[in-house]
């Protein structure tokens, strides 16, 4: 399959339910499932290059599932902005995994989470007793950990949820690059491919961003004291992870410090840390060397 299929899963919430969209690659009956979850203001098509590559190269059939976290992409928007937080997202992922399990039994379950997607993975992998189809086997935390640097949160908060309107895709891609240059080197073609799913037509003409601006409401309400207080809870989750863990860190990351990555190698699942030169927050996993690192982690001696 060279293109993904768009699917939906109903997810319960305080007002009834909402639909989460997800993009499925590979064999829909495969027993090996890899879930790839994006960052705060991104969407599931971020993983197109990686998913197509892995489906083609994997030594056995695989399902690669790339959700649009609620409020993003093709998913519904929530009526309560305060619900745009990790507990909601983790609950939605449990509904997704239950639907995937009902469609075809899962025998191997892996996770790849970029930034926010990594925190959702921590919530699932670090809480024993959750109704997962089976425990996570391998977990990749892409440029995220239990300590999130406050300066990075301030940087991201300065642009997330701000109203924008672009005349065309080229103008949008250029504007997105201004706030995303830390993603590392990309060709113009690669960046346009990453930018196109970020856009939607506006009723008054032009293009806007794909997500509900209200995803920024709880993010902006976070204080430095609250962020620091949350670190203990995130470390507790990390220390309870049993999955084999890989920590990717952009060498220039302002969100995941080298000190935090080093601590992650020494406690909990003792994650293997791979630092990517010339990249900040967060690696897009488009570059061949980044994909090769992940392919080796997920498939190892099978490849």
């Amino acid at each position: 399959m060279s293109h993904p299929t768009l699917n939906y899963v109903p997810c319960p919430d305080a007002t009834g339910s909402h639909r989460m969209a997800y993009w499925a690659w590979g064999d829909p009956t495969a027993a090996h499932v890899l879930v790839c979850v994006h960052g705060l203001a991104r969407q599931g098509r971020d993983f197109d290059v990686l998913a197509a590559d892995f489906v083609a190269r994997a030594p056995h059939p695989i399902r690669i599932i790339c959700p649009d976290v609620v409020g993003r992409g093709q998913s519904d928007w929530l009526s309560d902005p305060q619900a745009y937080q990790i507990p909601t997202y983790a609950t939605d992922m449990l509904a997704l995994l239950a639907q995937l399990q009902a469609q075809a039994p899962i025998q191997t379950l892996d996770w790849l989470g970029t930034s926010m997607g990594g925190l959702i993975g921590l919530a699932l992998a670090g809480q024993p007793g959750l109704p997962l189809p089976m425990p996570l086997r391998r977990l990749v935390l892409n440029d995220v950990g239990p300590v999130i640097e406050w300066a990075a949160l301030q940087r991201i908060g300065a642009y997330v949820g701000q109203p924008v309107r672009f005349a065309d895709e080229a103008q949008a891609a250029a504007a997105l690059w201004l706030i995303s240059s830390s993603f590392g080197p990309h060709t113009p073609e690669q960046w346009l491919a990453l930018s196109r799913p970020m856009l939607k037509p506006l009723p008054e003409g032009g293009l806007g961003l794909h997500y509900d601006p209200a995803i920024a409401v709880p993010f902006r309400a976070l204080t430095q004291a609250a962020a620091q207080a949350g670190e203990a809870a995130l470390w507790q989750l990390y220390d309870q992870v049993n999955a084999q863990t890989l920590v990717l860190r952009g060498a220039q990351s302002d969100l995941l410090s080298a000190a935090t990555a080093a601590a992650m190698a020494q406690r909990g699942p003792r994650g293997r840390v791979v630092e990517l030169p010339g990249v900040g927050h967060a690696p897009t996993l488009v570059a061949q060397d980044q994909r090769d690192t992940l392919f080796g982690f997920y498939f190892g001696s099978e490849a």
Side-chain angles (χ1 to χ4, degrees):
M1 181 193 302
S2 58
H3 297 283
T5 60
L6 177 59
N7 308 266
Y8 295 91
V9 58
C11 303
D13 62 36
T15 61
S17 69
H18 56 268
R19 291 196 314 167
M20 181 172 68
Y22 64 95
W23 303 89
W25 296 79
D27 182 346
T29 66
H32 184 180
V33 171
L34 169 60
V35 181
C36 303
V37 186
H38 58 78
L40 177 70
R42 305 291 304 182
Q43 36 64 48
R45 299 301 299 271
D46 272 2
F47 299 99
D48 280 5
V49 172
L50 178 141
D53 179 22
F54 280 17
V55 166
R57 283 204 283 164
H60 55 250
I62 186 169
R63 275 184 280 176
I64 300 182
I65 306 298
C66 307
D68 287 345
V69 176
V70 67
R72 290 87 167 167
Q74 303 301 312
S75 292
D76 289 348
W77 292 8
L78 297 176
S79 56
D80 177 11
Q82 292 300 330
Y84 286 126
Q85 300 198 54
I86 299 297
T88 299
Y89 307 151
T91 300
D92 287 0
M93 296 303 164
L94 291 175
L96 168 62
L97 291 169
Q99 179 165 298
L100 296 173
Q101 172 75 353
Q103 291 169 351
I106 299 171
Q107 295 179 9
T108 302
L109 179 60
D110 292 333
W111 192 275
L112 165 56
T114 295
S115 197
M116 179 188 75
L119 297 180
I120 299 169
L122 269 186
L124 297 180
Q127 296 188 75
L130 289 181
L132 295 166
M134 62 172 24
L136 290 183
R137 180 189 69 136
R138 293 188 179 169
L139 169 67
V140 171
L141 301 175
N142 183 19
D143 212 64
V144 71
V147 180
I148 299 171
E149 297 300 315
W150 181 246
L153 294 176
Q154 290 180 301
R155 174 180 61 80
I156 295 167
Y159 66 79
V160 170
Q162 297 294 340
V164 293
R165 180 178 174 276
F166 308 112
D168 53 33
E169 288 183 349
Q171 185 187 64
L176 288 170
W177 180 249
L178 289 176
I179 59 172
S180 309
S181 57
S182 62
F183 286 8
H186 292 76
T187 67
E189 293 76 19
Q190 288 172 333
W191 187 248
L192 184 59
L194 281 169
S195 299
R196 192 172 284 123
M198 297 284 290
L199 307 172
K200 66 174 185 179
L202 294 174
E204 65 273 21
L207 299 169
L209 293 174
H210 65 97
Y211 62 80
D212 181 358
I215 66 170
V217 171
F219 189 82
R220 289 217 179 95
L222 184 68
T223 65
Q224 187 170 8
Q228 291 172 344
E231 290 175 10
L234 290 174
W235 275 121
Q236 182 177 14
L237 290 172
Y238 184 76
D239 287 341
Q240 296 178 146
V241 170
N242 288 316
Q244 186 176 343
T245 301
L246 173 67
V247 179
L248 290 184
R249 179 179 183 269
Q252 300 169 1
S253 176
D254 63 347
L255 188 139
L256 176 63
S257 71
T260 298
M264 295 169 75
Q266 297 299 319
R267 57 188 287 183
R270 297 182 180 272
R272 177 165 68 93
V273 178
V274 173
E275 195 164 86
L276 302 172
V279 184
H281 183 78
T284 62
L285 314 178
V286 169
Q288 187 69 53
D289 62 331
Q290 296 175 19
R291 286 184 277 126
D292 287 347
T293 295
L294 294 179
F295 189 86
F297 177 69
Y298 288 120
F299 300 104
S301 59
E302 298 177 72

